[in-house]
Amino acid sequence: MSAFRILAGDTASSARQGTLKTPHAEIETPCFLPVGTRGSVKGLEFDRLEEWDCRAVLANTYHLMVRPGIETIRRAGGLHAFIGWSRAILTDSGGFQVMSLASRRVLSEEGVEFRAPEDGTAHFLTPERAMELQSGFGVDIAMALDVCPPFPAEREEVERACRLSQSWAERSRRAYCGPGLLFGILQGGTHEDLRSRAAGPLAALDLPGYAIGGVAVGESKQAIRRVTAFSAGLLPSEKPRYLMGIGTPADLLESVRAGCDLFDCVLPTRNGRMGHAYTRAGEVTIKHERFKEDLTPLDPACRCPVCRRHSRAYLRNLFVLKDFSAPMLLSIHNVYFYLDWMRTIRAAIGAGTLDKLQAPPEEKV
Amino acid sequence: MSAFRILAGDTASSARQGTLKTPHAEIETPCFLPVGTRGSVKGLEFDRLEEWDCRAVLANTYHLMVRPGIETIRRAGGLHAFIGWSRAILTDSGGFQVMSLASRRVLSEEGVEFRAPEDGTAHFLTPERAMELQSGFGVDIAMALDVCPPFPAEREEVERACRLSQSWAERSRRAYCGPGLLFGILQGGTHEDLRSRAAGPLAALDLPGYAIGGVAVGESKQAIRRVTAFSAGLLPSEKPRYLMGIGTPADLLESVRAGCDLFDCVLPTRNGRMGHAYTRAGEVTIKHERFKEDLTPLDPACRCPVCRRHSRAYLRNLFVLKDFSAPMLLSIHNVYFYLDWMRTIRAAIGAGTLDKLQAPPEEKV
């Protein structure tokens, strides 16, 4: 029996509503996973996420393997026990962070050697090692090790990334021993032919889910949306599709319409810490002078604990004065807003009204 | 009818348990007020404070008068509305911060002129202005404007501070028009004779409560405790006694035994942000190497949301990596710990067992 069940589909788009059963949660899709890089969703208590019926978070294999390391996590009884979260966890494979963060990186057929900039320690990440880590963590959704080419990149580099990603997906599949679901990752940059060519052999591995990788690495928003829609169409429709690292509320709606089911993004927490709040009317940059006397909440229709209590004027004052609570409060609002937005999207698919749903504008308020 | 009711007294000490009725809350005493300098208790949501039955917080008149200023707060409908907290608020008068923070300070009979280092704006704080501000805020407990001498100080300087504080308390009393309770402040540094001499005329003003000011400004812990006990004995026993700006859990117990009823201190939040956690076994400095593999909570007997979920090893890893959640989680624990400690003290007085209550050691774990 498949872990993924599609319960409703949209007639006007490729959107679908469903559930994904993992060892620790039944995830309602489309679903946004708050990012908990080192096992904390920055600025939020897990109690809040539970209260808001958040069923899954993302953590980064790369960060966790460098510190505290797999041994500490194993001794704690796995990642759930170590971080104190008993619902689902998805970990990326570490491939993306190695490419974007690590120094003295050497890529070979075997894997990728690198030094962690945090402490200079040497690591060798192979598909087998990535699986050993994620199995040791005991996560609900593990990701195959892939190679994510930068943007822009020579076509040859993207071709090599596709070839290695396929070979590593096969090795990941052989090496992974649970307890979660292993997802493969489709690469190919902005080249539709390369993505098409990569999708077949990847789908043939019959993994429980597939991710669209290598998007939002520097290309235009138009390119991101085009590649996302094109890639989603290449992946098996009966499997959950996970769009990695994206995006704004409008991006999420657009990608749901393209047929994507799972999402993660640092925007709500990172932007919250920087003073940007998502609202139904657009983005509020709280430091702006024009909010100085604004006694309305960030979003008058929002039911989050911040909007229920605090005005823009209050939050602006805290932010201008660099009060520690300010980035925390905006992060709380933003994550609530994202989870609520996904709930709205799911309900619209179920009710057959997704075509009428309008995303918040991406402009500033 | 007096706002303060004593419900139980300790036979072995001057401790008493009671209630203080203010416009927004019935405060159970002895009570610790978390510090919300600019109207936020750093790192904590007000929802948490309500959930833990916290009935009162402190905010700083000085910070609020500089930013956002009284006009914004008035337009919001008062300080409760502006910060989103509907229980009791106590504000200090601004005197202490002017003395410790402001530059180009000129003290006269009339008041104190200063420039705010935040933005260079000039302010003139008089007893009448301090009352206008606190009345405009609409706080539950307002403090008379006082002069807090530094430590060490010439005896003459302390004498002048006492004289001005008495004169300003009289003017504060005439000027204050509610809606809260006005408290006077006893000064006198470490000089028992000066405190004795100041207490009589201050008590004669028959204010609804009195604070012990000018302690913990640089003197030894021994001197703090001696001056606190001596000062408490000088203040009317039927009025609530508020010990300003103190202290550790052990200081609180000691000061309760000396007859103090209200407390505020930045320690739980400031130390939380610095990585220090209060526990029944002493202070945990979470960054220490020895907590690296420690899978126990900060305090195994603590029921706070952090101790219910997270281990020292997890918190240490976040702290070492400067994760935004780390100072937040320690602040949450510390404030919970303080509120819980006061609950324990109140229960012990009520049960007649305060003499057997032992404070957490002040040593490091």
Side-chain angles (χ1 to χ4, degrees):
Chain A
M1 203 193 76
S2 170
F4 185 55
R5 286 183 58 205
I6 296 173
L7 303 172
D10 181 36
T11 48
S13 77
S14 303
R16 62 266 189 91
Q17 184 227 336
T19 58
L20 176 62
K21 213 170 149 45
T22 77
H24 292 83
E26 184 162 289
I27 301 169
E28 297 186 310
T29 65
C31 176
F32 175 79
L33 288 76
V35 173
T37 305
R38 307 182 181 96
S40 88
V41 177
K42 289 176 187 151
L44 280 97
E45 291 185 64
F46 284 153
D47 280 12
R48 280 293 189 202
L49 296 180
E50 285 185 3
E51 188 187 311
W52 302 337
D53 200 24
C54 169
R55 311 234 179 129
V57 298
L58 174 142
N60 291 116
T61 295
Y62 169 86
H63 291 283
L64 294 167
M65 75 183 277
V66 173
R67 280 191 182 171
I70 181 68
E71 286 317 317
T72 300
I73 292 170
R74 227 195 277 272
R75 268 194 291 272
L79 190 57
H80 291 84
F82 181 69
I83 73 173
W85 171 255
S86 59
R87 301 187 180 182
I89 302 175
L90 179 155
T91 40
D92 60 9
S93 60
F96 179 79
Q97 274 76 23
V98 169
M99 292 302 161
S100 55
L101 298 178
S103 56
R104 291 208 256 165
R105 198 173 52 232
V106 184
L107 184 67
S108 66
E109 282 289 330
E110 184 54 20
V112 55
E113 234 183 300
F114 65 94
R115 283 189 185 274
E118 289 88 343
D119 56 5
T121 50
H123 297 266
F124 189 45
L125 193 61
T126 61
E128 292 73 20
R129 179 68 181 150
M131 295 308 105
E132 193 189 349
L133 289 165
Q134 295 179 86
S135 278
F137 293 159
V139 297
D140 294 76
I141 301 175
M143 302 302 297
L145 187 64
D146 64 332
V147 177
C148 179
F151 181 88
E154 294 295 325
R155 186 180 161 89
E156 287 65 34
E157 193 177 353
V158 182
E159 281 181 313
R160 189 189 179 210
C162 288
R163 195 174 49 71
L164 277 177
S165 293
Q166 175 64 24
S167 150
W168 291 4
E170 292 165 14
R171 284 165 57 192
S172 294
R173 185 174 181 273
R174 278 195 296 276
Y176 186 62
C177 54
L181 309 170
L182 177 65
F183 280 27
I185 305 175
L186 180 66
Q187 291 289 348
T190 52
H191 306 276
E192 297 191 349
D193 62 325
L194 296 186
R195 290 207 174 247
S196 284
R197 205 193 296 165
L202 192 64
L205 296 180
D206 193 26
L207 292 165
Y210 290 97
I212 301 168
V215 284
V217 289
E219 69 280 31
S220 71
K221 174 150 289 211
Q222 204 186 6
I224 293 173
R225 293 200 173 171
R226 177 179 60 77
V227 171
T228 298
F230 184 79
S231 301
L234 299 170
L235 295 173
S237 67
E238 74 283 8
K239 302 284 177 72
R241 300 183 187 115
Y242 163 33
L243 178 60
M244 303 181 84
I246 284 177
T248 64
D251 290 336
L252 296 180
L253 177 58
E254 201 55 33
S255 311
V256 164
R257 286 186 170 133
C260 297
D261 309 292
L262 297 171
F263 305 90
D264 79 282
C265 192
V266 294
L267 281 181
T269 41
R270 182 179 294 166
N271 270 344
R273 292 197 304 285
M274 310 274 282
H276 305 286
Y278 292 94
T279 79
R280 284 162 181 78
E283 201 184 300
V284 167
T285 298
I286 198 66
K287 277 192 186 179
H288 276 218
E289 183 76 17
R290 67 176 171 279
F291 301 124
K292 196 170 178 178
E293 300 287 340
D294 188 339
L295 295 170
T296 64
L298 288 171
D299 182 332
C302 180
R303 297 296 306 149
C304 89
V306 180
C307 289
R308 280 192 283 106
R309 275 188 196 271
H310 302 304
S311 67
R312 292 171 175 181
Y314 170 80
L315 295 168
R316 177 187 181 273
N317 190 51
L318 293 183
F319 233 102
V320 167
L321 295 169
K322 301 190 198 313
D323 190 282
F324 182 76
S325 287
M328 177 188 87
L329 293 171
L330 263 67
S331 300
I332 291 170
H333 164 79
N334 280 348
V335 171
Y336 180 95
F337 188 86
Y338 264 64
L339 296 173
D340 192 51
W341 176 231
M342 297 313 289
R343 220 181 338 261
T344 302
I345 290 176
R346 286 195 300 269
I349 302 171
T353 57
L354 190 72
D355 58 325
K356 289 183 204 78
L357 189 63
Q358 284 217 324
E362 303 212 293
E363 287 71 43
K364 307 257 179 194
V365 172
Chain B
M1 202 194 73
S2 169
F4 185 54
R5 286 182 58 203
I6 296 174
L7 303 173
D10 181 36
T11 48
S13 75
S14 303
R16 62 267 189 89
Q17 185 226 333
T19 59
L20 176 63
K21 213 171 151 45
T22 76
H24 292 84
E26 183 161 289
I27 301 169
E28 298 186 308
T29 65
C31 177
F32 175 81
L33 288 75
V35 174
T37 304
R38 307 182 180 96
S40 87
V41 177
K42 290 177 187 152
L44 279 97
E45 291 184 64
F46 284 153
D47 281 11
R48 281 292 189 202
L49 296 181
E50 284 185 1
E51 188 187 313
W52 302 338
D53 199 24
C54 170
R55 311 235 179 128
V57 299
L58 174 142
N60 291 116
T61 295
Y62 169 86
H63 291 284
L64 294 167
M65 75 184 274
V66 174
R67 284 197 180 163
I70 181 68
E71 286 317 316
T72 300
I73 292 171
R74 228 194 276 272
R75 269 195 290 273
L79 191 57
H80 291 84
F82 181 70
I83 72 174
W85 171 255
S86 59
R87 302 188 179 181
I89 302 175
L90 179 156
T91 40
D92 59 9
S93 60
F96 179 78
Q97 274 76 24
V98 170
M99 292 302 162
S100 55
L101 298 177
S103 55
R104 292 207 255 164
R105 199 174 51 233
V106 184
L107 185 66
S108 66
E109 282 290 330
E110 183 55 20
V112 56
E113 235 185 297
F114 64 93
R115 284 190 184 272
E118 289 88 341
D119 55 6
T121 50
H123 298 265
F124 189 45
L125 193 62
T126 61
E128 291 75 20
R129 178 70 182 147
M131 294 308 104
E132 193 189 349
L133 288 165
Q134 295 180 86
S135 278
F137 293 159
V139 297
D140 294 76
I141 301 175
M143 302 302 298
L145 188 63
D146 63 333
V147 177
C148 180
F151 181 88
E154 295 294 325
R155 186 181 161 90
E156 286 66 35
E157 191 176 355
V158 182
E159 282 181 314
R160 187 188 181 213
C162 287
R163 194 174 48 74
L164 277 177
S165 293
Q166 174 64 26
S167 152
W168 291 4
E170 291 165 15
R171 284 164 57 192
S172 294
R173 186 172 179 275
R174 278 194 297 275
Y176 187 61
C177 55
L181 310 170
L182 177 65
F183 280 26
I185 305 175
L186 180 66
Q187 291 289 348
T190 52
H191 307 275
E192 296 191 350
D193 62 325
L194 296 186
R195 289 204 175 249
S196 284
R197 205 194 297 166
L202 194 64
L205 297 180
D206 193 26
L207 292 165
Y210 290 98
I212 302 167
V215 284
V217 290
E219 70 281 29
S220 71
K221 174 151 287 211
Q222 204 186 6
I224 294 173
R225 295 203 173 169
R226 179 180 58 77
V227 171
T228 298
F230 183 79
S231 301
L234 299 171
L235 295 173
S237 67
E238 74 283 7
K239 302 282 177 75
R241 300 183 187 115
Y242 163 32
L243 178 60
M244 303 181 84
I246 285 177
T248 64
D251 290 336
L252 295 180
L253 176 58
E254 201 56 30
S255 312
V256 164
R257 286 188 170 130
C260 296
D261 308 293
L262 297 171
F263 306 89
D264 78 284
C265 192
V266 294
L267 281 180
T269 41
R270 182 179 294 166
N271 270 344
R273 292 198 305 283
M274 309 275 282
H276 305 285
Y278 292 95
T279 79
R280 283 163 182 79
E283 201 184 298
V284 167
T285 298
I286 198 65
K287 277 192 185 179
H288 276 218
E289 183 76 18
R290 66 175 172 282
F291 301 123
K292 195 170 177 177
E293 300 287 340
D294 188 339
L295 296 170
T296 63
L298 288 171
D299 181 332
C302 181
R303 298 296 306 150
C304 89
V306 179
C307 289
R308 279 192 283 105
R309 275 189 196 272
H310 302 303
S311 66
R312 294 171 173 179
Y314 170 79
L315 296 168
R316 179 188 181 272
N317 190 51
L318 293 182
F319 233 102
V320 167
L321 295 170
K322 303 189 198 314
D323 190 282
F324 182 77
S325 287
M328 176 188 87
L329 293 171
L330 261 67
S331 301
I332 291 170
H333 163 80
N334 280 349
V335 171
Y336 180 95
F337 188 85
Y338 265 63
L339 295 174
D340 192 51
W341 177 231
M342 296 313 287
R343 220 179 340 259
T344 302
I345 290 176
R346 285 195 299 269
I349 302 171
T353 57
L354 188 73
D355 57 326
K356 288 184 204 79
L357 189 62
Q358 285 216 324
E362 303 211 291
E363 288 72 44
K364 307 257 180 192
V365 172

